[in-house]
Amino acid sequence: KLRLVATSGQQVVVVKSFQVNLKGSRTEFRASDQTIKTLNAEGKQEAVSCRVSDIEKMVPSMMGVSKAMIESVIFVHQDESNWP
């Protein structure tokens, strides 16, 4: 789950679910569900299911940064903050 405030000021929750299957000695990993949840003008929650490629384009756009910025800066610093 990722909660963010879009550049438009709208609160957004992105949910990505994955599935891992073990078949013999081989592991199979796949994305099973990607959903974007927002609040509409009346304050009711709306959910939209999307393909993986669509979500990966939409999230950086909503955050107002490039995909490279997210991968290179934000997640690198998150990993570094987990070190003792």
Side-chain angles (χ1 to χ4, degrees):
K1 260 185 189 180
L2 170 68
R3 258 179 215 205
L4 61 102
V5 176
T7 55
S8 64
Q10 185 178 31
Q11 292 187 9
V12 179
V13 176
V14 179
V15 180
K16 293 179 80 172
S17 301
F18 300 95
Q19 182 177 8
V20 178
N21 293 321
L22 182 60
K23 293 183 179 180
S25 62
R26 196 181 75 167
T27 302
E28 183 180 283
F29 177 84
R30 69 182 183 101
S32 62
D33 183 44
Q34 291 75 39
T35 306
I36 294 180
K37 298 178 183 179
T38 59
L39 294 177
N40 64 17
E42 291 82 37
K44 294 188 180 190
Q45 189 177 45
E46 294 180 345
V48 178
S49 292
C50 302
R51 295 184 326 202
V52 174
S53 60
D54 294 339
I55 287 252
E56 290 180 1
K57 291 177 186 173
M58 293 171 71
V59 170
S61 174
M62 284 188 273
M63 294 176 74
V65 297
S66 68
K67 183 177 178 180
M69 179 68 77
I70 291 174
E71 291 175 354
S72 300
V73 177
I74 297 173
F75 291 120
V76 168
H77 289 295
Q78 176 187 3
D79 290 341
E80 289 174 357
S81 70
N82 292 329
W83 284 87

